[in-house]
Amino acid sequence: MIKDITLGQYFPGNSVVHRLDPRFKIIITMIYIAMLFISSSIFGLFVGGLFAFLALILSKIPFKLILKSLKPLIPILLFTSLFNLFFISGGDVYIEWAFIRVTEDGVNMTLYMAIRIIFLIIGSSLLTYTTSPITLTDAIEYLLSPLKKIKMPVHEFAMMMTIALRFIPTLIEETDKIMSAQKARGADFESGKVMQRIKALIPILIPLFVSAFRRAEDLALAMTCRCYHGGEGRTRLNQLKSGTKDYMATAITIMFLLSIIILNIFV
Amino acid sequence: MGIIKTENLTYTYSVGTPFEKKAIDNINLEIEEGELVGIIGHTGSGKSTLIQHFNGLLKPTSGRILIEGEDIWKSKASTRQARFTVGLVFQYPEYQIFEETVYRDIAFGPKNMGLTEDEIDYRVRNTATAVGISEELLQRSPFELSGGQKRRVAIAGVMAMEPKILILDEPTAGLDPKGREKILNLIKEHHKKTGCTVLIVSHSMEDIARYANKILVMNKSKVFCYGKTAEVFKRANEISEMGLTVPQITRVINELKNRGINIEDEIYTVKYAKEIFLKYLSEKEGGAYD
Amino acid sequence: MGNIIKTDDIHFYYENEYSVEEGVESPVKEILKGINLDINKGEFVAVLGHNGSGKSTFAKHLNAILLPKKGTVYIGDIDTKLEDRHFDIRQRVGMVFQNPDNQIVATVVEEDVAFALENLGVEPKEMRNRVDDALKAVDMYEYREHAPHQLSGGQKQRVAIAGVIAMRPECIVLDEPTAMLDPKGRQEVLKTIRMLNKNFGITIVAITHYMDEAAEADRVVVMDEGEVILDDIPKEVFSHVELLKSVGLDVPQVTELIYELNKYGLNIDKQIITEDECVEALMKILA
């Protein structure tokens, strides 16, 4: 059943990483990404990897979960790796067969890129695994708030995110119900050619859209009744709070970044 | 031999996870052809799970369902056949409407059955009339109709498939008294005219009492009882202890009996109660209220 | 005792609801045709009517979601036409709707309860107190960190009510709050409404088509075709069995039974709406 899909890759917990201020967590993740991108050698990457590894241990997120988050990326990883392997040339030639040439630089670059992508995914999944979508949205709103000055609809964007998160489970349940109802009327979603299958989706999609619009209308009315008038003068129940641990964590991250810069210069 | 028969039917949700739960537990039931059965029970008593087994939307974890004597999971073809033998109208069925016209929406089911154009046309017009949707509405968009009309179009969509067994999950949910009455009457009418077996799931014992000949009470994933309406109402006390509301009139009668008035105890409609009281009084006073 | 709501001959129609047939505009269909109603502080009023009787349209006038085309609605002494007072009005008269799913905004229960307060710019500390109080009042405090989709219909509806009472309103208007609930959910919501009325003195306007719910109110207003046709205490209103049936409404079963028996020349008090009263009355003639 569709209901079984887990949504929002958040895994509640009470580790140090979970308790960090989401704003700092986003900043730390950005610095971490910067680490991966500036390191000019594989050694630099390993320093970044060490950082992610430490964070992973502190977060108490099972390693299995991280591996799972990498699974959908395997095709992309394979594709880019093959691409790099065959088309980058330089240094010693290892294999040469017909038009295929594998060189030293090719192998190095392939390893380097693959590791970089893997570390990148590990770091960013760690962010979503340890931060609830709603606080993440709040933090993004806060960090982007300077953009409000140039009339960017930052609050509206965050509100939209919140409502989407709120209604995803509802709409999934609804899809399930509509599917059962149409099946009961003899609709067949499981057989036929591609075109037939796409056509078979119409009896699900139309009721789903109609219902989504109806819900949107209802919700807008309920929001008006509760004095919603955009982001102006709004306060929040749960204030984002930062403390020593957030500054410490950021300081440690910056130290890692510096060590990579130093590595870049000396290696 | 009943038209619906279940043998040790069990269904477990989320097998192998911490949320594992038996939604229905070892159900043995036989429903005879041509009955109008009311199904009552709490949310979570298993009644929705049960009815979704009857047309093969859910596959039992263990046990069997026989429709007209045939195991519906015997082959792919028999499962598909069950979809057409057993028509299922879900709660708030108007939310499944999708076609551009009322006509085409009612025709969706019959079309999936692979009927001829003529047969489809005949059935659509016939059922539309039966549910009180007039000819000129057939070419209109179903989304322009009133709530009650939409509901009737959705029910017609299943009725037009002419299932031998028609199951309706809370067909009157959210309607006002007039709308409720209209829907229940047209179901009763359909039952009378076609002689098909009808199962109605409802929270309203008042409605069930007035329309059903038999009642199935579900409680905690099991069948609490299944029998003639009058017999089931004899157990009104147990049913209220389950937290289900029995009709006001039944509660009044029970209280009167407790106070020593000697009247029948299977009274569940106002009409019937009136007759009983008048009879009681005329016996008491010698024919004054005949 | 004063009025919390006063409506003075209000008329309403939707602008776009006319049909153009061969160039002739037929007159607009009036949904409200002159409603005069005063609702007192602390009262529990049930508004009955079939679908399309105008009862929901009327409800939406009570917190300035709709404005009358003619006539005036006063909330306390504020005319709802004064746009700059709309937040005042909506804070005083909160509204709860039929569909429990479509009125919860946030992904966490307590954040949803805080939603109105956040909009009004209440200080976080004060807000925390009010949210906790509201959740305790509807007996949902232990669910404060749940996601809305994990709750039952009745629980969601109580969260929606908490979201309104966090504003500390004087009046709550509920538009068919139990229509989509199962009997258990209905009981939960009704109990909550009665409690808010009794213990907190909040004025309740409950729109419904369930007679047993209306029977528990202090006062029942029956609407039909955009007009008020009955306005009295429940006993009095339900004694008009024929009239109610003619406008597509029911009466409680016991009332109907007594009415039917009286037709046969029995002389029983017509104003019976509860089981106990019915049992007592029947004992008198049967025993």
Side-chain angles (χ1 to χ4, degrees), chain A residues 134-135 138 159 162-163 165-167 169-170 173 211 214-216 218-230 232-239, chain C residues 60 63 65 87 90 95 97 99 101-108 110-122 124 127-128 131 148-149 163 167:
Chain A
I134 192 87
T135 48
D138 283 353
M159 195 71 213
T162 309
I163 291 172
L165 288 170
R166 154 74 185 84
F167 277 93
T170 313
E173 203 176 303
S211 133
R214 195 189 57 243
R215 288 181 191 281
D218 283 4
L219 189 69
L221 183 60
M223 285 167 75
T224 311
C225 284
R226 283 156 77 187
C227 306
Y228 181 68
H229 55 104
E232 216 174 302
R234 228 169 165 259
T235 47
R236 298 305 308 267
L237 173 67
N238 292 317
Q239 301 288 310
Chain C
K60 291 195 183 92
N63 68 345
I65 292 297
F87 290 148
R90 287 177 191 151
M95 210 154 165
F97 297 93
N99 192 323
D101 269 317
N102 299 357
Q103 50 187 326
I104 294 181
V105 189
T107 45
V108 182
E110 63 172 15
E111 296 217 10
D112 189 75
V113 175
F115 184 71
L117 304 179
E118 292 182 334
N119 292 331
L120 294 166
V122 174
M127 194 177 334
R128 170 53 64 190
V131 167
H149 66 92
M167 291 194 282

Side-chain angles (χ1 to χ4, degrees), chain A residues 137-183:
Chain A
T137 313
D138 283 353
I140 294 170
E141 183 180 359
Y142 184 89
L143 291 173
L144 294 180
S145 60
L147 292 178
K148 279 181 191 163
K149 289 212 178 74
I150 55 164
K151 296 258 157 68
M152 290 283 275
V154 175
H155 163 77
E156 285 73 9
F157 172 73
M159 195 71 213
M160 270 156 49
M161 283 282 290
T162 309
I163 291 172
L165 288 170
R166 154 74 185 84
F167 277 93
I168 284 170
T170 313
L171 290 177
I172 287 179
E173 203 176 303
E174 181 129 32
T175 311
D176 233 16
K177 263 190 219 152
I178 297 170
M179 262 177 100
S180 299
Q182 306 299 28
K183 271 192 207 161

Side-chain angles (χ1 to χ4, degrees), chain C residues 2 9 19 57 61 69 72 78 82 89 100 119 139 142 156 160 170 178 192 206 217 219 225 236 238 255 279 284:
Chain C
D9 190 35
S19 55
T57 308
H61 278 79
K69 300 286 178 197
T72 320
I78 313 168
L82 302 171
I89 292 170
N119 292 331
D139 201 13
E142 58 197 294
K156 280 184 218 169
E170 293 166 50
T178 62
T192 307
R219 174 178 163 198
E225 306 298 327
E236 193 56 53
F238 287 122
T255 316
V279 170
K284 268 187 216 152

Side-chain angles (χ1 to χ4, degrees), chain C residues 64-171:
Chain C
I65 292 297
L66 294 177
L67 298 174
K69 300 286 178 197
K70 211 185 112 197
T72 320
V73 179
Y74 296 99
I75 303 304
D77 50 3
I78 313 168
D79 182 342
T80 58
K81 285 201 190 78
L82 302 171
E83 215 160 300
D84 56 332
R85 302 295 299 274
H86 280 184
F87 290 148
D88 275 344
I89 292 170
R90 287 177 191 151
Q91 210 176 327
R92 283 180 157 193
V93 180
M95 210 154 165
V96 175
F97 297 93
Q98 186 187 72
N99 192 323
D101 269 317
N102 299 357
Q103 50 187 326
I104 294 181
V105 189
T107 45
V108 182
V109 165
E110 63 172 15
E111 296 217 10
D112 189 75
V113 175
F115 184 71
L117 304 179
E118 292 182 334
N119 292 331
L120 294 166
V122 174
E123 284 306 311
K125 228 178 141 188
E126 161 79 4
M127 194 177 334
R128 170 53 64 190
N129 290 336
R130 287 216 213 168
V131 167
D132 288 352
D133 287 349
L135 280 168
K136 281 173 190 158
V138 300
D139 201 13
M140 284 296 289
Y141 185 67
E142 58 197 294
Y143 293 91
R144 64 191 178 281
E145 284 174 2
H146 278 57
H149 66 92
Q150 297 169 316
L151 307 178
S152 73
Q155 289 173 329
K156 280 184 218 169
Q157 216 51 331
R158 275 148 64 203
V159 169
I161 293 173
V164 167
I165 58 175
M167 291 194 282
R168 308 256 158 100
E170 293 166 50
C171 174

Side-chain angles (χ1 to χ4, degrees), chain B residues 174-192:
Chain B
L175 297 178
D176 64 359
K178 217 181 196 167
R180 280 209 289 274
E181 193 84 13
K182 217 170 199 167
I183 298 274
L184 289 169
N185 280 336
L186 77 87
I187 294 168
K188 180 116 190 166
E189 204 50 45
H190 178 80
H191 173 246
K192 222 162 73 188

Side-chain angles (χ1 to χ4, degrees), chain B residues 8 30 124:
Chain B
N8 308 321
E30 192 167 342
V124 170

Side-chain angles (χ1 to χ4, degrees), chain B residues 122-143:
Chain B
Y122 170 77
R123 286 194 183 188
V124 170
R125 290 178 196 281
N126 208 16
T127 19
T129 318
V131 301
I133 296 293
S134 62
E135 192 79 14
E136 62 262 29
L137 287 180
L138 286 179
Q139 293 311 321
R140 290 262 288 276
S141 160
F143 298 105

